[in-house]
Amino acid sequence: VDSVVAQSYLNWELCLAEDAPSGPDIREILDRAAASDDRVRVASRDGDGTASTRALALATGAFVLPVEQDGLLDPDALLNVADCLDAHPDARIVYTDHDRVRVDGFRHDPQFKPDWNRELLYGHDYIGHLRAFHAATVVRVGGFRAGMEAVEGYDLLLRCLAHVEDGQIRHIPRVLYSARPRPRRAIPALRDAGMRAVSEALSALHGRHIPVERAALDF
């Protein structure tokens, strides 16, 4: 929250939602954030759908940037995205480089990504964070899907590709997002969900079932 409030670009809204039943301390933090800045909005606990779906329902901007609870934005992250969109008004998806940061502030493991490569994305979610989606396109594909929470950003991106041309996807070659330490997710579950997301996106795009197999080189 603090990294969003500290952005050099001021025209933003932060839509927050709890992703699981939580204690009063978490709700107090969210409510305090909303009270401190009228650009911060908190979804109802009782809304339908996943946390991401409930947060998305609050958004009114032309672009949405999903950020996980361990995400830390560079102070100029939104400014860079806004500049890219000004330079390329036809853009529908924008993504940046990212790295990781330890609890002591040491940054490591930078992910310097290539420019848009559709084939690479089908084999591996090389984009990760940070990614900005054209909000109308997100609505068009139905937003986030229940049951795909483990790879919901990847799944959303794959489904958006059916309505986005390659030239409308832009890469900002700057590290603008840092992921902080969190418990490791189950790799087999992530892999299986990712394979399902690719298979279903390709099958919908081509009108026939397209199976996806695990690669011999897995990472």
Side-chain angles (χ1 to χ4, degrees):
V1 173
D2 290 342
S3 75
V4 175
V5 174
Q7 288 296 298
S8 58
Y9 181 79
L10 302 178
N11 188 22
W12 52 262
E13 60 182 5
L14 176 59
C15 303
L16 299 168
E18 298 164 90
D19 62 356
S22 59
D25 54 336
I26 298 298
R27 192 66 188 189
E28 181 181 348
I29 291 171
L30 299 182
D31 290 341
R32 188 165 62 244
S36 67
D37 194 310
D38 58 12
R39 295 169 296 179
V40 179
R41 308 169 68 188
V42 179
S44 169
R45 285 177 171 176
D46 302 324
D48 294 331
T50 66
S52 296
T53 296
R54 288 184 282 115
L56 182 62
L58 297 177
T60 63
F63 279 79
V64 293
L65 290 76
V67 178
E68 296 186 3
Q69 65 268 25
D70 62 341
L72 185 67
L73 298 183
D74 180 272
D76 293 326
L78 298 184
L79 179 61
N80 276 266
V81 173
D83 284 347
C84 179
L85 294 173
D86 283 342
H88 306 283
D90 65 332
R92 294 296 177 265
I93 295 172
V94 176
Y95 65 97
T96 79
D97 296 344
H98 75 269
D99 65 6
R100 302 185 185 281
V101 59
R102 296 191 318 215
V103 292
D104 62 2
F106 180 79
R107 295 171 63 180
H108 62 101
D109 195 22
Q111 304 294 306
F112 300 121
K113 305 162 190 175
D115 285 342
W116 175 240
N117 186 322
R118 185 181 291 259
E119 288 71 27
L120 179 60
L121 186 78
Y122 287 145
H124 166 54
D125 181 15
Y126 78 92
I127 288 183
H129 305 287
L130 180 68
R131 41 192 160 199
F133 295 91
H134 184 233
T137 303
V138 171
V139 172
R140 183 176 183 180
V141 302
F144 299 103
R145 291 199 296 169
M148 299 297 286
E149 289 84 357
V151 292
E152 64 181 9
Y154 186 36
D155 177 62
L156 177 62
L157 176 58
L158 289 166
R159 288 182 288 118
C160 284
L161 294 184
H163 308 284
V164 176
E165 298 178 2
D166 288 344
Q168 296 177 307
I169 303 174
R170 296 288 173 174
H171 170 218
I172 301 173
R174 295 189 63 182
V175 175
L176 299 176
Y177 182 104
S178 298
R180 286 175 285 189
R182 67 187 306 179
R184 289 185 62 84
R185 296 173 178 174
I187 298 302
L190 281 174
R191 181 190 303 120
D192 292 345
M195 291 171 60
R196 174 188 165 192
V198 174
S199 178
E200 292 181 357
L202 288 175
S203 298
L205 181 64
H206 295 287
R208 59 185 177 85
H209 176 64
I210 297 180
V212 174
E213 299 179 355
R214 178 180 171 184
L217 176 61
D218 198 9
F219 57 93

